[in-house]
Amino acid sequence: MMRRYKYAVGWHFAYAALVIVVAVIVTSAMNFATESILTTETDRARGDLERSISVSAARLESNFEHVTHVAHEISAAIAIRPGLSDAALTVLVDHLKSDHADQQIVIVASDGPKTEDQILFYTGVDPNQLSYLRQNPKQIAAIAQAAASAKDSFSGPISMPDSSPIYLLNAPVLLPDKSFATSSYWGTVTVSTELDRIFSGTGISDLARAYQLVVSVLDDNGSPDLVLLGEAGVLGHDFVSQDIEVFGQVWRISAAPIGGWDQDPEYLPIVTKRLWVYGIVFLILSVLALRFHQRTTIAEKRLSDAINSLGDGFVLYDDRDRLVLWNRRYEELYGSAARLLKPGVRFEDLARASVRLGLYSSAVGREDEWVEERIAIHKKRNSVSERMLQNGTWLRVTESAASAGGTVGLHTDVTELVTAKLDAESASKAKSDFLSVVSHELRTPLTTVLGYLRFIQKLKELPKFQRLQNTLTKGAEGTGDIAQQIDEVVDETITFADRARRSGDHLLTLINGFLDLSRIEAGKVDCVPVQIPLKDFLGSLCQEILPSIEARGLELIDKSDEIVVVADKMHLRQVMLNLLENAIKFTATGTITVETIRHEDHAEIRVTDTGRGIETDDQSSLFQRFTQVDNSSTREFGGVGLGLAISRELVRINGGDIGVSSKIGEGSTFWFTLPIKLA
């Protein structure tokens, strides 16, 4: 109950944290959205103002170009016909200024049919203003400049007594010579326009009413030098500006919102309300999403715990055979191949990669074929198969079709089961081989014993006995033959008895072996450890078995040292006799060597022969019960395979170990260890 309470409290804290986080996110989002709206609105307003200023600037330039056009047209007309009458000039001027009736035009001739530097023609100009202009230093300098440079000159703004300031354009009149190669200055055509009329029709007035507007004249450094319209004090604001070149000057039109750029748009409150609504909706959806995520997480955690608690490897593939899910046991089973496990990996790619890593011993040398077989089994969807990994692990793979599509696999470690099965099969085979060997080993001496007993039982039917009986019947004259024949009958009887005895001894040895093994298995073997000097003990034993060795034409070499071991003397004798008898049995020519080696806390006793040797694969089974290298019924050597098994148990009972090393064609060395007497 307490765990459930803590779990619920944990999720409540998660909900509270989510509400706080979402509130912070919504507030930040609203601030960001407001800033974005203001920035967007500012950019939009700035763009609108830039376009309005551009339109006004274009119209100003158009007005200036018209003034220039009028001056140049009149100048060209006079240059062609210097003697135009006032009437003709009036018609020309009226035509040219039809759209700009407010323009003032003055024609001044410095050298002509009338008096020098006379005003030949003027229109739209008050005589008093005309007299004022003729005396204005700026205008005098501008006319001189036009005469000297033969180019247009400008003057202004010039403040007039009864009107707004004016600007004047002075276009020189150049009379060409007869060849038109050169020209001479004749006079000027001056076109004046009041500043208010220059701005008329350009939209400047509208801008001045809606914005803080300043039209200024720039100096040579590009700084405002003269304000034509507006207040110079507001030029420090963030203005949108555009420069144009008119009347020989650079004018700058600058404008900015009256209240600045940071004004909130009218629709901002509506947007803010909507953002709050969206934020609350987002908060509710987030809580619901967290709740859904909580339940999903719990379900996934339960599923993960359930899968990981399985003792078998679990794996899931989707309907496209892509890896979806697996548990820890699956990773443990496949060891180094676990790094290949990634969601989305195809089954075929995983199988091929596993084969490349050498994961399956049965795939070596037939990799592609093995992969195809594995894919075919996998595609059956409902199958059970067994395979062995390279490390010797046996897996039973059960694959079933999932209801939602895909494949579910269970990989069960059945190594113990398979090993037990193989051991049972091996034991069954060993039992069969043992029974076959025992039946052969028992039947042979029993047949021998029974056969010779029958001979002895039917002694009277033997040829030698019948000859003896015939001789005895003939009388005393055959006394010499009688003695010889009696000896022959006795020798043959002894031979039969000796062969029966040896077969009986062999049977006794087999029975003793069975009895020894049964006592060892029952734990009833008595062990009386005593101190045994190996040199004396092994020397005596070698002399005892020497006749058997020499009878095989072999040589015995004794290399035992003065080492005292602690062991049961009867056990040591039985082990040594087993090893020596095996060496005699399996050595056709050469030597049998007995030697001892002293180690720190134990002695090692070796019996080495020059026999045929033992295959490496067969060496591990030599000390198993009822096992021989050759268990066939036609084998060359006798025995039921108990000698080495009994020797191993006796050595272990005495605190030692036993083993073998051998090479085919070089012979074998059987060794065992016993504890030594410490000084």
Side-chain angles (χ1 to χ4, degrees):
M1 183 67 181
M2 182 59 68
R3 293 179 61 189
R4 293 182 60 187
Y5 171 75
K6 291 181 178 179
Y7 189 72
V9 170
W11 277 106
H12 290 160
F13 276 116
Y15 291 145
L18 176 65
V19 171
I20 294 173
V21 171
V22 172
V24 172
I25 292 174
V26 170
T27 303
S28 301
M30 287 189 62
N31 291 334
F32 177 76
T34 302
E35 292 294 330
S36 299
I37 291 172
L38 291 176
T39 301
T40 303
E41 187 64 21
T42 300
D43 293 342
R44 185 192 63 78
R46 186 181 290 272
D48 292 343
L49 183 54
E50 288 176 350
R51 286 188 289 273
S52 297
I53 291 176
S54 295
V55 171
S56 296
R59 289 175 179 174
L60 273 175
E61 290 177 335
S62 177
N63 288 349
F64 172 72
E65 289 174 358
H66 186 270
V67 171
T68 304
H69 174 71
V70 170
H72 288 173
E73 287 292 327
I74 296 174
S75 175
I78 295 174
I80 295 173
R81 294 182 63 186
L84 284 174
S85 63
D86 290 348
L89 287 174
T90 299
V91 172
L92 174 62
V93 169
D94 289 343
H95 171 71
L96 291 174
K97 56 180 283 190
S98 58
D99 295 332
H100 297 269
D102 55 347
Q103 288 179 342
Q104 301 168 338
I105 300 175
V106 179
I107 301 174
V108 178
S110 62
D111 183 21
K114 298 184 181 181
T115 57
E116 182 149 334
D117 198 16
Q118 299 182 38
I119 296 176
L120 298 182
F121 178 85
Y122 68 91
T123 179
V125 184
D126 184 89
N128 293 328
Q129 292 179 343
L130 183 59
S131 175
Y132 178 79
L133 289 175
R134 285 178 60 77
Q135 298 174 4
N136 186 277
K138 290 183 180 180
Q139 178 61 9
I140 294 172
I143 290 178
Q145 181 184 355
S149 64
K151 295 181 179 179
D152 295 345
S153 67
F154 307 93
S155 60
I158 298 174
S159 300
M160 300 301 291
D162 300 324
S163 66
S164 65
I166 65 171
Y167 268 88
L168 299 98
L169 184 150
N170 304 296
V173 179
L174 303 176
L175 300 178
D177 59 9
K178 293 181 179 181
S179 63
F180 292 94
T182 60
S183 59
S184 59
Y185 177 73
W186 178 85
T188 60
V189 176
T190 300
V191 179
S192 68
T193 305
E194 292 182 5
L195 189 58
D196 291 343
R197 293 174 179 175
I198 292 175
F199 292 143
S200 177
T202 61
I204 293 293
S205 299
D206 297 334
L207 288 174
R209 285 190 295 272
Y211 297 92
Q212 289 179 326
L213 181 71
V214 177
V215 180
S216 58
V217 179
L218 304 183
D219 59 17
D220 294 338
N221 295 323
S223 300
D225 181 42
L226 177 65
V227 175
L228 301 177
L229 181 65
E231 298 179 6
V234 300
L235 284 175
H237 293 286
D238 184 12
F239 277 84
V240 175
S241 302
Q242 183 169 338
D243 297 343
I244 59 173
E245 187 173 350
V246 292
F247 296 105
Q249 297 172 332
V250 177
W251 290 9
R252 174 169 291 171
I253 305 174
S254 304
I258 296 174
W261 296 104
D262 296 332
Q263 302 177 76
D264 293 343
E266 296 178 356
Y267 58 85
L268 184 60
I270 299 175
V271 174
T272 303
K273 291 180 181 179
R274 290 181 179 178
L275 285 175
W276 274 112
V277 172
Y278 295 155
I280 294 172
V281 172
F282 177 73
L283 176 61
I284 295 172
L285 292 177
S286 298
V287 172
L288 293 176
L290 179 61
R291 182 62 177 171
F292 176 76
H293 176 69
Q294 172 197 0
R295 296 191 175 186
T296 303
T297 302
I298 294 173
E300 290 179 351
K301 184 67 170 59
R302 288 174 178 171
L303 177 61
S304 177
D305 291 343
I307 292 175
N308 284 320
S309 66
L310 293 175
D312 299 333
F314 175 89
V315 63
L316 174 65
Y317 292 89
D318 62 15
D319 54 353
R320 296 184 180 179
D321 256 353
R322 295 175 301 188
L323 184 60
V324 177
L325 186 66
W326 65 94
N327 65 353
R328 286 191 296 267
R329 180 55 177 161
Y330 187 82
E331 293 182 357
E332 294 171 358
L333 289 174
Y334 287 94
S336 61
R339 60 186 177 85
L340 303 173
L341 302 176
K342 295 179 181 179
V345 176
R346 295 191 310 141
F347 175 82
E348 180 177 351
D349 296 336
L350 192 59
R352 294 189 183 279
S354 300
V355 169
R356 285 195 296 271
L357 289 176
L359 191 63
Y360 301 102
S361 56
S362 60
V364 177
R366 52 186 297 272
E367 289 78 5
D368 292 338
E369 183 181 353
W370 188 93
V371 170
E372 295 300 326
E373 293 175 356
R374 180 68 186 91
I375 293 174
I377 295 174
H378 177 74
K379 287 183 177 180
K380 290 180 179 179
R381 292 293 188 269
N382 293 287
S383 62
V384 178
S385 59
E386 291 183 357
R387 58 184 58 86
M388 186 179 73
L389 302 182
Q390 190 66 34
N391 60 6
T393 302
W394 277 91
L395 296 179
R396 175 177 295 155
V397 180
T398 305
E399 294 178 310
S400 305
S403 59
T407 305
V408 176
L410 283 178
H411 295 239
T412 306
D413 186 349
V414 293
T415 304
E416 293 184 2
L417 181 61
V418 173
T419 302
K421 179 182 177 182
L422 294 176
D423 290 344
E425 293 175 351
S426 177
S428 177
K429 183 176 183 302
K431 176 182 177 181
S432 299
D433 293 340
F434 169 70
L435 291 176
S436 175
V437 170
V438 167
S439 64
H440 174 76
E441 290 294 324
L442 293 178
R443 183 174 60 249
T444 300
L446 279 176
T447 301
T448 303
V449 170
L450 293 175
Y452 285 112
L453 288 177
R454 289 192 184 96
F455 282 141
I456 296 174
Q457 184 181 15
K458 298 180 180 181
L459 184 61
K460 293 181 180 181
E461 298 178 3
L462 295 178
K464 291 182 179 180
F465 185 85
Q466 291 179 353
R467 287 200 302 272
L468 174 59
Q469 190 177 28
N470 292 333
T471 302
L472 291 174
T473 304
K474 290 180 181 179
E477 67 276 6
T479 303
D481 291 338
I482 291 174
Q484 180 180 356
Q485 290 178 15
I486 290 174
D487 290 338
E488 289 177 355
V489 171
V490 171
D491 290 341
E492 188 172 30
T493 303
I494 292 173
T495 299
F496 291 160
D498 182 62
R499 290 176 181 174
R501 179 192 59 78
R502 281 185 290 172
S503 296
D505 290 341
H506 182 60
L507 283 174
L508 180 61
T509 300
L510 293 177
I511 294 172
N512 286 336
F514 295 145
L515 293 175
D516 290 341
L517 183 61
S518 65
R519 286 197 299 271
I520 291 173
E521 289 182 342
K524 295 181 179 180
V525 176
D526 295 328
C527 179
V528 182
V530 296
Q531 296 183 8
I532 304 174
L534 287 182
K535 187 171 183 63
D536 294 341
F537 182 83
L538 295 179
S540 174
L541 193 62
C542 288
Q543 291 299 320
E544 180 181 339
I545 203 169
L546 181 62
S548 299
I549 294 176
E550 292 177 342
R552 291 274 293 174
L554 304 175
E555 179 184 358
L556 176 63
I557 301 174
D558 182 5
K559 294 183 178 181
S560 56
D561 294 329
E562 296 288 351
I563 303 174
V564 178
V565 298
V566 179
D568 186 292
K569 185 175 292 187
M570 293 302 298
H571 293 171
L572 177 58
R573 174 182 174 81
Q574 187 173 352
V575 172
M576 282 300 301
L577 287 176
N578 279 335
L579 297 182
L580 288 170
E581 287 173 357
N582 281 344
I584 296 171
K585 184 191 301 184
F586 295 104
T587 304
T589 59
T591 61
I592 296 175
T593 303
V594 177
E595 62 178 321
T596 57
I597 300 174
R598 182 186 180 93
H599 295 281
E600 183 177 356
D601 58 353
H602 66 275
E604 181 180 345
I605 304 169
R606 295 180 177 181
V607 177
T608 303
D609 62 59
T610 57
R612 64 177 64 181
I614 306 169
E615 294 283 355
T616 303
D617 295 340
D618 294 331
Q619 293 178 20
S620 60
S621 62
L622 282 177
F623 297 95
Q624 295 179 7
R625 300 165 187 174
F626 314 123
T627 300
Q628 284 188 325
V629 174
D630 181 10
N631 281 328
S632 64
S633 60
T634 59
R635 58 202 177 98
E636 181 179 353
F637 305 102
V640 294
L642 290 178
L644 291 178
I646 293 173
S647 297
R648 180 184 66 175
E649 298 300 329
L650 293 177
V651 169
R652 289 181 176 178
I653 290 173
N654 284 271
D657 196 10
I658 191 169
V660 62
S661 61
S662 179
K663 289 185 179 180
I664 294 297
E666 296 183 9
S668 304
T669 297
F670 284 83
W671 56 267
F672 65 96
T673 61
L674 291 173
I676 63 177
K677 176 188 176 183
L678 299 178

